[in-house]
Amino acid sequence: MDGLFRRAHTARARFRRPRRGTNSRTTPSELSNAPPAAPGCRSPGRGNWFWSLVALGAIAVLLLGLTGWLYRQDHADNAARADRDNVVLAARQGVLNLIELSHTDAEAAYARLVQGTTGALRDQLTQQAASVT
């Protein structure tokens, strides 16, 4: 077992890049004379690209999912903000209609007030319209 490890280790060492500052390079004839690697041992660099691509793909999918989720949250916030603005605008108009009630044009002011209401309050105001004007 020890000899098998040594042979695989020395075979790997032959395929390594030389350190910076050294002039030793492996020639093609030296590569052809290299002993075969032990069974089950991979040469360095083989398969590294595959796992790098898998990791990059996973990161890309994660980023796309996060972007989609953030877009959906922003869209929901914008819709809620628009609904709130519409409700505030309707409430302001209702308050203005109440404030602008006057005896000079009671019928028009009362009609604007009834138009800005809904539900049971609207029913009650329409029933009382004859007595108010």
Side-chain angles (χ1 to χ4, degrees):
M1 186 74 165
D2 189 36
L4 183 65
F5 175 74
R6 245 189 246 147
R7 187 173 4 152
H9 182 68
T10 56
R12 282 189 201 155
R14 287 184 185 164
F15 291 109
R16 286 191 186 148
R17 289 179 140 177
R19 293 184 180 179
R20 289 186 181 181
T22 62
N23 291 332
S24 64
R25 293 188 178 196
T26 307
T27 62
S29 61
E30 290 175 350
L31 290 176
S32 63
N33 294 335
C41 292
R42 293 188 333 212
S43 63
R46 187 179 283 179
N48 289 340
W49 284 104
F50 173 75
W51 292 113
S52 298
L53 289 176
V54 167
L56 284 174
I59 289 171
V61 167
L62 184 69
L63 287 176
L64 283 173
L66 180 65
T67 303
W69 180 75
L70 287 174
Y71 175 77
R72 186 174 180 186
Q73 291 294 321
D74 186 51
H75 183 70
D77 289 345
N78 287 341
R81 190 177 301 121
D83 289 344
R84 185 189 69 224
D85 290 344
N86 290 338
V87 168
V88 167
L89 184 63
R92 284 181 181 167
Q93 188 62 46
V95 169
L96 285 175
N97 290 340
L98 281 173
I99 292 173
E100 291 177 351
L101 286 175
S102 69
H103 65 284
T104 57
D105 61 344
E107 289 181 19
Y110 196 74
R112 283 193 308 267
L113 179 65
V114 171
Q115 186 180 7
T117 59
T118 59
L121 179 61
R122 185 179 191 134
D123 295 339
Q124 184 181 2
L125 289 176
T126 53
Q127 289 174 359
Q128 295 175 353
S131 64
V132 172
T133 55

